[in-house]
């Protein structure tokens, strides 16, 4: 058996080591060795850090890797990525590949599948590429608006600092402390008042029960009264008063004549005058009207 020289043996070992290193690196990158994956081409305007061996997911499941990324120098502005997809997955027409970046900066391709009724994309054809607008994309879109708001925020912060530096704020806070203390005392007083009311409540309820009992008794007495007889008696009294008033107003009775006939009034008045004169004369000359003698002798 012919033996190889040491130089040839060293060269063969180096070649084998290089092959092992190459295929090992490809395996670590996620590339399938001697794979029969279906290859498709995807056109992007911006790959956002997409590189070889970036994973490809369909509905959250890994179905392939990015095998190559090339810049199209003939048509600047386009970047063509070659992707290898598991041959068991059929890619429908209308599917698109979206580049997604997570919070850790990892880049992956999300394969959004179309409708199978539209037919399938043949291996080697081109799939539409797009940039997914995720949380990072939305945050990036908000940066211009945030930049416009920064001067306003600075102005607002300066106004707030000026406001807090005003001594009136400190005085107001002191007043708030005083008001809080007053409210605490008021609350304590209300608590004491409530406690007193709770103590007096049984007596008050007892008194209220007595009042209600008296009210019920009065109501019962009113209900027991013979209202019909009482009203009949009142009507009779009113009728008698009406008759007496009619008699006084008429000229037939003595009282009516006395109230209505002026001559009777004048006669009574004249009689009273004569009686008054008689009394005066009686006081002045009593001997004219009274005769008294021990021996029965008459005065001449």
């Amino acid at each position: 058996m012919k033996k190889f020289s040491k130089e040839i043996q060293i060269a063969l070992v180096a070649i084998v080591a290089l092959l092992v290193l190459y295929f090992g690196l490809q395996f670590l990158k996620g590339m399938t060795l001697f794979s029969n994956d279906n290859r498709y081409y995807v056109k992007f305007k911006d790959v956002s850090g997409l590189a070889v061996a970036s994973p490809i997911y369909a509905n959250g499941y890994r179905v392939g890797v990015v095998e190559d990324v090339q810049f199209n120098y003939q048509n600047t502005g386009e970047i063509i990525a070659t992707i290898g997809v598991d041959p068991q997955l059929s890619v429908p027409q209308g599917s698109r590949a979206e580049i997604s970046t997570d919070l850790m900066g990892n880049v992956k391709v999300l394969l959004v599948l179309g409708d199978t009724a539209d037919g399938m994309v043949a291996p080697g054809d081109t799939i539409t590429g797009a940039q997914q607008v995720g949380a990072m994309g939305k945050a990036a879109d908000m940066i211009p608006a945030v930049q416009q708001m920064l001067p306003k925020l600075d102005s607002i912060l300066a106004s707030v600092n000026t406001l807090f530096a005003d001594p009136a704020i400190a005085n107001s806070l002191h007043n708030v402390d005083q008001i809080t203390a007053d409210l605490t005392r008021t609350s304590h007083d209300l608590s004491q008042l409530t406690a007193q009311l709770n103590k007096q409540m049984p007596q008050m309820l007892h008194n209220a029960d007595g009042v209600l009992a008296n009210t019920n008794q009065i109501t019962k007495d009113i209900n027991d009264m013979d209202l019909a007889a009482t009203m009949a008696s009142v009507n009779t009294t009113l009728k008698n008063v009406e008759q007496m008033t009619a008699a006084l107003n008429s000229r037939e009775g003595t009282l009516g004549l006395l109230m209505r006939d002026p001559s009777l009034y004048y006669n009574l008045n004249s009689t009273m005058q004569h009686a008054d004169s008689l009394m005066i004369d009686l006081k002045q000359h009593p001997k004219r009207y009274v005769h008294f003698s021990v021996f029965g002798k008459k005065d001449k």
Side-chain angles (χ1 to χ4, degrees):
M1 182 176 180
K2 185 178 180 179
K3 295 184 179 180
F4 294 102
S5 62
K6 292 183 178 180
E7 290 79 3
I8 295 175
Q9 292 178 359
I10 293 172
L12 291 175
V13 171
I15 292 172
V16 172
L18 290 175
L19 291 174
V20 171
L21 179 62
Y22 173 75
F23 288 111
L25 291 175
Q26 295 297 320
F27 178 77
L28 293 176
K29 290 180 180 179
M31 305 291 290
T32 304
L33 302 179
F34 309 106
S35 67
N36 57 350
D37 292 347
N38 293 331
R39 289 174 174 80
Y40 300 93
Y41 299 98
V42 185
K43 293 182 179 180
F44 296 102
K45 293 294 183 181
D46 185 357
V47 293
S48 300
L50 183 67
V52 176
S54 295
I56 300 174
Y57 294 89
N59 298 331
Y61 183 79
R62 180 168 176 168
V63 295
V65 294
V66 177
E67 296 182 352
D68 189 20
V69 179
Q70 296 289 335
F71 188 84
N72 188 357
Y73 291 97
Q74 296 179 354
N75 185 8
T76 58
E78 284 187 353
I79 300 175
I80 300 175
T82 303
I83 61 174
V85 179
D86 192 331
Q88 297 181 1
L89 176 66
S90 298
V91 181
Q93 292 285 347
S95 300
R96 65 183 185 276
E98 297 181 350
I99 298 176
S100 175
T101 304
D102 58 18
L103 296 176
M104 301 300 295
N106 299 320
V107 182
K108 59 184 176 181
V109 177
L110 301 179
L111 192 60
V112 182
L113 301 177
D115 190 0
T116 56
D118 297 334
M120 301 298 172
V121 178
D125 288 346
T126 302
I127 300 175
T128 303
Q131 186 77 26
Q132 187 187 45
V133 182
M136 298 298 294
K138 293 179 180 179
D141 294 337
M142 292 174 61
I143 291 176
V146 172
Q147 290 178 347
Q148 294 179 358
M149 291 175 60
L150 287 177
K152 297 181 180 179
L153 290 176
D154 292 338
S155 177
I156 292 172
L157 291 176
S159 300
V160 170
N161 291 332
T162 303
L163 179 63
F164 280 113
D166 192 348
I169 297 296
N171 295 331
S172 298
L173 293 176
H174 178 71
N175 293 332
V176 169
D177 293 338
Q178 184 64 34
I179 292 171
T180 304
D182 295 339
L183 288 176
T184 302
R185 288 194 296 270
T186 303
S187 177
H188 182 264
D189 295 339
L190 287 175
S191 298
Q192 291 181 347
L193 179 60
T194 303
Q196 294 178 358
L197 289 176
N198 290 332
K199 292 180 180 179
Q200 297 176 1
M201 187 60 67
Q203 184 63 31
M204 295 173 62
L205 293 176
H206 179 72
N207 296 335
D209 292 337
V211 173
L212 290 176
N214 294 333
T215 303
N216 293 332
Q217 185 63 36
I218 293 171
T219 304
K220 183 179 178 181
D221 295 339
I222 292 174
N223 291 330
D224 294 339
M225 290 176 60
D226 191 355
L227 295 179
T230 303
M231 292 303 298
S233 177
V234 171
N235 292 331
T236 301
T237 303
L238 291 176
K239 186 176 181 181
N240 293 333
V241 171
E242 183 179 359
Q243 291 177 355
M244 184 178 67
T245 303
L248 290 175
N249 291 329
S250 66
R251 294 178 178 273
E252 296 179 357
T254 303
L255 292 177
L257 291 174
L258 182 62
M259 294 176 62
R260 295 290 181 177
D261 191 356
S263 60
L264 181 60
Y265 167 77
Y266 292 135
N267 292 331
L268 287 176
N269 191 19
S270 177
T271 303
M272 291 299 296
Q273 289 178 358
H274 289 301
D276 185 54
S277 299
L278 178 61
M279 292 300 296
I280 292 172
D281 187 64
L282 180 62
K283 290 179 180 181
Q284 292 177 355
H285 306 93
K287 293 181 178 181
R288 292 181 180 177
Y289 305 95
V290 178
H291 299 279
F292 179 80
S293 175
V294 176
F295 301 105
K297 185 179 180 180
K298 295 182 182 181
D299 293 335
K300 292 182 178 179

